[in-house]
Tab-separated table of all heavy atoms in Angstrom:
chain	number	residue	atom	x	y	z
H	437	LYS	N	-8.145	-19.430	-4.284
H	437	LYS	CA	-8.976	-20.432	-5.026
H	437	LYS	C	-8.664	-21.814	-4.525
H	437	LYS	O	-7.489	-22.165	-4.528
H	437	LYS	CB	-8.573	-20.273	-6.480
H	437	LYS	CG	-9.332	-21.270	-7.436
H	437	LYS	CD	-8.909	-21.051	-8.784
H	437	LYS	CE	-9.486	-22.122	-9.686
H	437	LYS	NZ	-8.800	-22.072	-10.945
H	438	PRO	N	-9.637	-22.672	-4.230
H	438	PRO	CA	-11.028	-22.370	-4.100
H	438	PRO	C	-11.374	-21.293	-3.064
H	438	PRO	O	-10.464	-20.679	-2.493
H	438	PRO	CB	-11.672	-23.670	-3.616
H	438	PRO	CG	-10.655	-24.762	-3.999
H	438	PRO	CD	-9.308	-24.034	-3.868
H	439	GLY	N	-12.669	-21.064	-2.842
H	439	GLY	CA	-13.092	-20.026	-2.035
H	439	GLY	C	-13.465	-20.392	-0.596
H	439	GLY	O	-12.758	-20.141	0.338
H	440	MET	N	-14.607	-20.943	-0.373
H	440	MET	CA	-15.182	-21.118	0.973
H	440	MET	C	-14.233	-21.893	1.891
H	440	MET	O	-14.184	-21.582	3.020
H	440	MET	CB	-16.513	-21.651	0.943
H	440	MET	CG	-17.528	-20.584	1.192
H	440	MET	SD	-19.085	-20.931	2.016
H	440	MET	CE	-19.730	-22.294	1.339
H	441	PRO	N	-13.502	-22.944	1.393
H	441	PRO	CA	-12.640	-23.682	2.327
H	441	PRO	C	-11.431	-22.822	2.727
H	441	PRO	O	-10.561	-23.267	3.595
H	441	PRO	CB	-12.249	-24.961	1.652
H	441	PRO	CG	-13.188	-25.051	0.486
H	441	PRO	CD	-13.612	-23.697	0.101
H	442	TYR	N	-11.248	-21.640	2.089
H	442	TYR	CA	-9.971	-20.853	2.299
H	442	TYR	C	-10.205	-19.461	2.755
H	442	TYR	O	-9.459	-18.583	2.402
H	442	TYR	CB	-9.148	-20.936	1.007
H	442	TYR	CG	-8.817	-22.350	0.637
H	442	TYR	CD1	-9.626	-23.122	-0.151
H	442	TYR	CD2	-7.661	-22.951	1.215
H	442	TYR	CE1	-9.334	-24.483	-0.439
H	442	TYR	CE2	-7.332	-24.294	0.882
H	442	TYR	CZ	-8.138	-24.999	0.085
H	442	TYR	OH	-7.860	-26.343	-0.124
H	443	LEU	N	-11.345	-19.246	3.465
H	443	LEU	CA	-11.666	-17.844	3.942
H	443	LEU	C	-10.474	-17.304	4.845
H	443	LEU	O	-10.264	-16.104	4.783
H	443	LEU	CB	-12.988	-17.942	4.684
H	443	LEU	CG	-14.202	-18.187	3.836
H	443	LEU	CD1	-15.434	-18.359	4.649
H	443	LEU	CD2	-14.457	-17.221	2.719
H	444	ASP	N	-9.871	-18.181	5.577
H	444	ASP	CA	-8.792	-17.730	6.456
H	444	ASP	C	-7.619	-17.208	5.628
H	444	ASP	O	-6.970	-16.187	5.996
H	444	ASP	CB	-8.292	-18.905	7.341
H	444	ASP	CG	-7.849	-20.121	6.477
H	444	ASP	OD1	-8.434	-20.403	5.508
H	444	ASP	OD2	-6.742	-20.644	6.808
H	445	VAL	N	-7.363	-17.816	4.417
H	445	VAL	CA	-6.310	-17.333	3.577
H	445	VAL	C	-6.635	-15.938	2.990
H	445	VAL	O	-5.789	-15.032	2.989
H	445	VAL	CB	-6.025	-18.357	2.451
H	445	VAL	CG1	-4.972	-17.951	1.514
H	445	VAL	CG2	-5.699	-19.681	3.124
H	446	ILE	N	-7.873	-15.788	2.589
H	446	ILE	CA	-8.295	-14.502	2.092
H	446	ILE	C	-8.084	-13.414	3.113
H	446	ILE	O	-7.477	-12.402	2.885
H	446	ILE	CB	-9.776	-14.483	1.693
H	446	ILE	CG1	-10.086	-15.519	0.560
H	446	ILE	CG2	-10.335	-13.074	1.243
H	446	ILE	CD1	-11.578	-15.745	0.267
H	447	LYS	N	-8.515	-13.702	4.264
H	447	LYS	CA	-8.409	-12.758	5.360
H	447	LYS	C	-6.931	-12.378	5.699
H	447	LYS	O	-6.557	-11.209	5.820
H	447	LYS	CB	-9.124	-13.180	6.606
H	447	LYS	CG	-9.013	-12.353	7.845
H	447	LYS	CD	-10.271	-11.993	8.517
H	447	LYS	CE	-10.062	-11.126	9.798
H	447	LYS	NZ	-9.654	-9.811	9.378
H	448	SER	N	-6.110	-13.417	5.785
H	448	SER	CA	-4.666	-13.046	6.166
H	448	SER	C	-3.981	-12.304	5.071
H	448	SER	O	-3.150	-11.406	5.313
H	448	SER	CB	-3.929	-14.168	6.789
H	448	SER	OG	-4.221	-15.304	6.061
H	449	ILE	N	-4.345	-12.627	3.846
H	449	ILE	CA	-3.679	-11.861	2.714
H	449	ILE	C	-4.122	-10.361	2.757
H	449	ILE	O	-3.290	-9.495	2.667
H	449	ILE	CB	-4.044	-12.487	1.329
H	449	ILE	CG1	-3.391	-13.935	1.196
H	449	ILE	CG2	-3.630	-11.586	0.189
H	449	ILE	CD1	-3.862	-14.678	-0.002
H	450	LYS	N	-5.452	-10.281	2.911
H	450	LYS	CA	-6.024	-8.829	2.973
H	450	LYS	C	-5.399	-8.106	4.064
H	450	LYS	O	-4.927	-6.927	3.877
H	450	LYS	CB	-7.502	-8.903	3.103
H	450	LYS	CG	-8.132	-7.624	2.857
H	450	LYS	CD	-7.950	-7.151	1.390
H	450	LYS	CE	-8.565	-5.755	1.159
H	450	LYS	NZ	-8.586	-5.569	-0.245
H	451	ASP	N	-5.288	-8.668	5.239
H	451	ASP	CA	-4.842	-7.951	6.450
H	451	ASP	C	-3.391	-7.575	6.315
H	451	ASP	O	-2.999	-6.544	6.667
H	451	ASP	CB	-4.960	-8.834	7.756
H	451	ASP	CG	-6.410	-8.895	8.205
H	451	ASP	OD1	-7.240	-8.229	7.655
H	451	ASP	OD2	-6.666	-9.801	9.058
H	452	LYS	N	-2.574	-8.507	5.673
H	452	LYS	CA	-1.202	-8.305	5.525
H	452	LYS	C	-0.800	-7.354	4.428
H	452	LYS	O	-0.039	-6.448	4.599
H	452	LYS	CB	-0.508	-9.602	5.387
H	452	LYS	CG	1.009	-9.670	5.485
H	452	LYS	CD	1.542	-10.821	6.132
H	452	LYS	CE	3.016	-10.671	6.479
H	452	LYS	NZ	3.275	-9.916	7.659
H	453	PHE	N	-1.423	-7.514	3.207
H	453	PHE	CA	-0.928	-6.825	2.049
H	453	PHE	C	-1.825	-5.668	1.594
H	453	PHE	O	-1.342	-4.853	0.678
H	453	PHE	CB	-0.702	-7.829	0.930
H	453	PHE	CG	0.368	-8.776	1.197
H	453	PHE	CD1	-0.018	-10.136	1.523
H	453	PHE	CD2	1.644	-8.544	1.275
H	453	PHE	CE1	0.948	-11.086	1.811
H	453	PHE	CE2	2.643	-9.441	1.544
H	453	PHE	CZ	2.320	-10.731	1.768
H	454	LYS	N	-3.081	-5.625	2.031
H	454	LYS	CA	-3.944	-4.521	1.672
H	454	LYS	C	-4.143	-4.292	0.154
H	454	LYS	O	-4.182	-3.057	-0.302
H	454	LYS	CB	-3.449	-3.146	2.283
H	454	LYS	CG	-3.041	-3.220	3.738
H	454	LYS	CD	-4.278	-3.353	4.597
H	454	LYS	CE	-3.890	-3.455	6.094
H	454	LYS	NZ	-4.977	-4.097	6.963
H	455	LEU	N	-4.022	-5.299	-0.649
H	455	LEU	CA	-4.183	-5.110	-2.093
H	455	LEU	C	-5.557	-5.733	-2.457
H	455	LEU	O	-6.166	-6.447	-1.672
H	455	LEU	CB	-2.989	-5.722	-2.930
H	455	LEU	CG	-3.074	-7.241	-3.270
H	455	LEU	CD1	-1.969	-7.435	-4.332
H	455	LEU	CD2	-2.918	-8.026	-2.027
H	456	PRO	N	-6.076	-5.465	-3.632
H	456	PRO	CA	-7.294	-6.149	-4.018
H	456	PRO	C	-7.174	-7.650	-4.042
H	456	PRO	O	-6.244	-8.199	-4.726
H	456	PRO	CB	-7.522	-5.641	-5.508
H	456	PRO	CG	-6.776	-4.384	-5.578
H	456	PRO	CD	-5.563	-4.568	-4.685
H	457	VAL	N	-8.040	-8.349	-3.312
H	457	VAL	CA	-7.949	-9.849	-3.238
H	457	VAL	C	-9.280	-10.345	-3.754
H	457	VAL	O	-10.383	-9.803	-3.309
H	457	VAL	CB	-7.808	-10.278	-1.775
H	457	VAL	CG1	-7.763	-11.772	-1.697
H	457	VAL	CG2	-6.441	-9.756	-1.101
H	458	PHE	N	-9.238	-11.262	-4.673
H	458	PHE	CA	-10.451	-11.847	-5.223
H	458	PHE	C	-10.562	-13.397	-4.757
H	458	PHE	O	-9.572	-13.986	-4.461
H	458	PHE	CB	-10.439	-11.820	-6.771
H	458	PHE	CG	-10.456	-10.454	-7.322
H	458	PHE	CD1	-10.149	-10.278	-8.630
H	458	PHE	CD2	-10.759	-9.345	-6.602
H	458	PHE	CE1	-10.125	-9.014	-9.250
H	458	PHE	CE2	-10.776	-8.068	-7.132
H	458	PHE	CZ	-10.469	-7.881	-8.417
H	459	ALA	N	-11.808	-13.754	-4.667
H	459	ALA	CA	-11.997	-15.135	-4.247
H	459	ALA	C	-12.730	-15.936	-5.401
H	459	ALA	O	-13.546	-15.304	-6.137
H	459	ALA	CB	-12.991	-15.228	-3.085
H	460	TYR	N	-12.348	-17.149	-5.587
H	460	TYR	CA	-13.023	-17.883	-6.648
H	460	TYR	C	-13.830	-18.993	-5.980
H	460	TYR	O	-13.365	-19.899	-5.380
H	460	TYR	CB	-11.917	-18.560	-7.561
H	460	TYR	CG	-12.420	-19.009	-8.950
H	460	TYR	CD1	-11.662	-18.784	-10.124
H	460	TYR	CD2	-13.685	-19.687	-9.073
H	460	TYR	CE1	-12.108	-19.137	-11.373
H	460	TYR	CE2	-14.089	-20.095	-10.386
H	460	TYR	CZ	-13.321	-19.802	-11.452
H	460	TYR	OH	-13.789	-20.223	-12.712
H	461	GLN	N	-15.175	-18.760	-6.093
H	461	GLN	CA	-16.129	-19.782	-5.639
H	461	GLN	C	-16.176	-20.809	-6.740
H	461	GLN	O	-16.848	-20.638	-7.738
H	461	GLN	CB	-17.577	-19.240	-5.349
H	461	GLN	CG	-18.434	-20.277	-4.776
H	461	GLN	CD	-19.843	-19.585	-4.449
H	461	GLN	OE1	-20.505	-19.035	-5.304
H	461	GLN	NE2	-20.259	-19.870	-3.279
H	462	VAL	N	-15.421	-21.939	-6.622
H	462	VAL	CA	-15.172	-22.842	-7.722
H	462	VAL	C	-16.347	-23.712	-8.062
H	462	VAL	O	-17.302	-23.832	-7.329
H	462	VAL	CB	-13.797	-23.613	-7.571
H	462	VAL	CG1	-12.705	-22.650	-7.440
H	462	VAL	CG2	-13.884	-24.554	-6.449
H	463	SER	N	-16.146	-24.482	-9.130
H	463	SER	CA	-17.240	-25.308	-9.687
H	463	SER	C	-17.840	-26.250	-8.649
H	463	SER	O	-18.930	-26.510	-8.542
H	463	SER	CB	-16.736	-25.998	-10.872
H	463	SER	OG	-15.602	-26.807	-10.581
H	464	GLY	N	-16.805	-26.990	-7.914
H	464	GLY	CA	-17.315	-27.903	-6.876
H	464	GLY	C	-18.183	-27.281	-5.766
H	464	GLY	O	-19.116	-27.858	-5.294
H	465	GLU	N	-17.762	-26.109	-5.417
H	465	GLU	CA	-18.552	-25.350	-4.470
H	465	GLU	C	-19.951	-24.937	-4.996
H	465	GLU	O	-20.966	-25.219	-4.297
H	465	GLU	CB	-17.853	-23.999	-4.024
H	465	GLU	CG	-16.500	-24.231	-3.366
H	465	GLU	CD	-15.827	-22.834	-3.152
H	465	GLU	OE1	-16.258	-22.089	-2.332
H	465	GLU	OE2	-14.785	-22.555	-3.828
H	466	TYR	N	-19.898	-24.554	-6.182
H	466	TYR	CA	-21.250	-24.193	-6.927
H	466	TYR	C	-22.153	-25.434	-6.946
H	466	TYR	O	-23.276	-25.341	-6.609
H	466	TYR	CB	-20.904	-23.588	-8.240
H	466	TYR	CG	-22.108	-23.513	-9.124
H	466	TYR	CD1	-22.967	-22.408	-9.051
H	466	TYR	CD2	-22.518	-24.526	-9.969
H	466	TYR	CE1	-24.094	-22.235	-9.816
H	466	TYR	CE2	-23.683	-24.469	-10.750
H	466	TYR	CZ	-24.460	-23.331	-10.686
H	466	TYR	OH	-25.632	-23.202	-11.347
H	467	SER	N	-21.570	-26.480	-7.442
H	467	SER	CA	-22.451	-27.694	-7.771
H	467	SER	C	-22.888	-28.322	-6.423
H	467	SER	O	-23.993	-28.788	-6.395
H	467	SER	CB	-21.627	-28.762	-8.538
H	467	SER	OG	-21.395	-28.175	-9.827
H	468	LEU	N	-22.081	-28.158	-5.355
H	468	LEU	CA	-22.574	-28.647	-3.994
H	468	LEU	C	-23.807	-27.878	-3.566
H	468	LEU	O	-24.781	-28.472	-3.158
H	468	LEU	CB	-21.453	-28.431	-2.980
H	468	LEU	CG	-20.473	-29.553	-2.746
H	468	LEU	CD1	-19.414	-28.984	-1.729
H	468	LEU	CD2	-21.104	-30.754	-2.304
H	469	ILE	N	-23.739	-26.601	-3.680
H	469	ILE	CA	-24.789	-25.733	-3.206
H	469	ILE	C	-26.022	-25.978	-4.122
H	469	ILE	O	-27.167	-26.118	-3.582
H	469	ILE	CB	-24.429	-24.225	-3.160
H	469	ILE	CG1	-23.270	-23.957	-2.247
H	469	ILE	CG2	-25.596	-23.354	-2.921
H	469	ILE	CD1	-22.670	-22.540	-2.305
H	470	GLU	N	-25.838	-25.939	-5.393
H	470	GLU	CA	-26.996	-26.133	-6.352
H	470	GLU	C	-27.632	-27.472	-6.075
H	470	GLU	O	-28.854	-27.582	-6.094
H	470	GLU	CB	-26.410	-26.152	-7.823
H	470	GLU	CG	-26.556	-24.876	-8.590
H	470	GLU	CD	-27.857	-24.165	-8.383
H	470	GLU	OE1	-27.905	-23.285	-7.473
H	470	GLU	OE2	-28.831	-24.355	-9.160
H	471	THR	N	-26.866	-28.502	-5.901
H	471	THR	CA	-27.407	-29.883	-5.729
H	471	THR	C	-28.323	-29.883	-4.500
H	471	THR	O	-29.302	-30.492	-4.386
H	471	THR	CB	-26.352	-30.953	-5.791
H	471	THR	OG1	-25.508	-30.726	-6.937
H	471	THR	CG2	-26.915	-32.326	-5.817
H	472	ALA	N	-27.701	-29.365	-3.492
H	472	ALA	CA	-28.379	-29.342	-2.139
H	472	ALA	C	-29.705	-28.605	-2.212
H	472	ALA	O	-30.681	-28.930	-1.585
H	472	ALA	CB	-27.446	-28.757	-1.053
H	473	ILE	N	-29.648	-27.471	-2.979
H	473	ILE	CA	-30.796	-26.647	-3.176
H	473	ILE	C	-32.000	-27.487	-3.953
H	473	ILE	O	-33.039	-27.630	-3.536
H	473	ILE	CB	-30.667	-25.333	-3.874
H	473	ILE	CG1	-29.799	-24.427	-2.896
H	473	ILE	CG2	-31.922	-24.675	-4.188
H	473	ILE	CD1	-29.285	-23.148	-3.571
H	474	ALA	N	-31.517	-28.139	-4.996
H	474	ALA	CA	-32.371	-28.970	-5.797
H	474	ALA	C	-32.960	-30.087	-4.950
H	474	ALA	O	-34.174	-30.431	-5.187
H	474	ALA	CB	-31.668	-29.550	-7.033
H	475	LYS	N	-32.259	-30.632	-4.090
H	475	LYS	CA	-32.706	-31.700	-3.231
H	475	LYS	C	-33.460	-31.171	-1.988
H	475	LYS	O	-33.814	-31.978	-1.119
H	475	LYS	CB	-31.585	-32.554	-2.732
H	475	LYS	CG	-30.978	-33.456	-3.822
H	475	LYS	CD	-30.027	-34.427	-3.182
H	475	LYS	CE	-29.246	-35.206	-4.200
H	475	LYS	NZ	-29.711	-36.441	-4.638
H	476	LYS	N	-33.623	-29.846	-2.006
H	476	LYS	CA	-34.354	-29.259	-0.864
H	476	LYS	C	-33.721	-29.492	0.513
H	476	LYS	O	-34.436	-29.516	1.529
H	476	LYS	CB	-35.829	-29.682	-0.889
H	476	LYS	CG	-36.600	-29.195	-2.046
H	476	LYS	CD	-38.052	-29.199	-1.772
H	476	LYS	CE	-38.950	-28.546	-2.846
H	476	LYS	NZ	-38.465	-28.401	-4.233
H	477	LEU	N	-32.400	-29.696	0.482
H	477	LEU	CA	-31.674	-29.916	1.789
H	477	LEU	C	-31.425	-28.516	2.424
H	477	LEU	O	-31.402	-28.409	3.625
H	477	LEU	CB	-30.354	-30.648	1.516
H	477	LEU	CG	-30.510	-32.064	0.949
H	477	LEU	CD1	-29.075	-32.613	0.589
H	477	LEU	CD2	-31.170	-32.989	2.014
H	478	ILE	N	-31.187	-27.537	1.644
H	478	ILE	CA	-31.000	-26.201	2.065
H	478	ILE	C	-31.804	-25.264	1.176
H	478	ILE	O	-32.194	-25.691	0.054
H	478	ILE	CB	-29.508	-25.787	2.003
H	478	ILE	CG1	-28.938	-25.885	0.564
H	478	ILE	CG2	-28.652	-26.598	3.008
H	478	ILE	CD1	-27.480	-25.437	0.546
H	479	ASN	N	-31.972	-23.951	1.596
H	479	ASN	CA	-32.845	-23.073	0.750
H	479	ASN	C	-31.882	-22.213	0.003
H	479	ASN	O	-30.673	-22.061	0.311
H	479	ASN	CB	-33.922	-22.382	1.488
H	479	ASN	CG	-33.334	-21.463	2.487
H	479	ASN	OD1	-32.500	-20.626	2.185
H	479	ASN	ND2	-33.880	-21.524	3.712
H	480	LYS	N	-32.396	-21.461	-0.949
H	480	LYS	CA	-31.660	-20.593	-1.853
H	480	LYS	C	-30.812	-19.478	-1.132
H	480	LYS	O	-29.826	-18.997	-1.710
H	480	LYS	CB	-32.568	-19.939	-2.791
H	480	LYS	CG	-32.933	-20.830	-3.987
H	480	LYS	CD	-33.535	-20.015	-5.159
H	480	LYS	CE	-33.325	-20.820	-6.369
H	480	LYS	NZ	-33.949	-20.259	-7.570
H	481	ASP	N	-31.260	-19.156	0.055
H	481	ASP	CA	-30.537	-18.122	0.775
H	481	ASP	C	-29.083	-18.494	1.139
H	481	ASP	O	-28.217	-17.651	1.265
H	481	ASP	CB	-31.290	-17.684	2.034
H	481	ASP	CG	-30.976	-16.270	2.432
H	481	ASP	OD1	-31.051	-15.396	1.549
H	481	ASP	OD2	-30.604	-15.977	3.592
H	482	ALA	N	-28.910	-19.828	1.036
H	482	ALA	CA	-27.482	-20.311	1.284
H	482	ALA	C	-26.537	-19.753	0.243
H	482	ALA	O	-25.307	-19.570	0.498
H	482	ALA	CB	-27.504	-21.852	1.132
H	483	ILE	N	-27.036	-19.415	-1.037
H	483	ILE	CA	-26.122	-18.820	-1.983
H	483	ILE	C	-25.610	-17.461	-1.508
H	483	ILE	O	-24.404	-17.180	-1.469
H	483	ILE	CB	-26.961	-18.558	-3.234
H	483	ILE	CG1	-27.446	-19.878	-3.884
H	483	ILE	CG2	-26.119	-17.825	-4.277
H	483	ILE	CD1	-28.459	-19.682	-5.007
H	484	TYR	N	-26.544	-16.631	-0.932
H	484	TYR	CA	-26.140	-15.281	-0.436
H	484	TYR	C	-25.207	-15.398	0.707
H	484	TYR	O	-24.254	-14.719	0.947
H	484	TYR	CB	-27.388	-14.458	-0.152
H	484	TYR	CG	-28.170	-14.199	-1.392
H	484	TYR	CD1	-29.142	-15.044	-1.919
H	484	TYR	CD2	-27.793	-13.193	-2.282
H	484	TYR	CE1	-29.783	-14.857	-3.099
H	484	TYR	CE2	-28.511	-12.938	-3.488
H	484	TYR	CZ	-29.515	-13.879	-3.872
H	484	TYR	OH	-30.127	-13.652	-4.983
H	485	GLU	N	-25.583	-16.387	1.603
H	485	GLU	CA	-24.717	-16.641	2.864
H	485	GLU	C	-23.320	-16.923	2.421
H	485	GLU	O	-22.332	-16.418	2.936
H	485	GLU	CB	-25.370	-17.701	3.631
H	485	GLU	CG	-24.773	-17.912	5.046
H	485	GLU	CD	-25.549	-18.920	5.800
H	485	GLU	OE1	-26.739	-19.154	5.527
H	485	GLU	OE2	-24.876	-19.617	6.633
Side-chain angles (χ1 to χ4, degrees):
K437 177 180 173 192
M440 261 213 311
Y442 298 91
L443 294 175
D444 59 317
V445 177
I446 297 171
K447 174 131 180 69
S448 41
I449 292 173
K450 190 66 183 192
D451 287 349
K452 189 143 188 87
F453 298 106
K454 313 288 180 202
L455 84 167
V457 179
F458 295 165
Y460 200 136
Q461 182 177 55
V462 300
S463 56
E465 299 174 66
Y466 168 85
S467 295
L468 272 177
I469 297 172
E470 260 319 88
T471 310
I473 293 172
K475 287 191 186 266
K476 298 199 169 20
L477 298 172
I478 58 178
N479 68 48
K480 278 196 160 175
D481 206 49
I483 299 169
Y484 296 89
E485 190 175 335

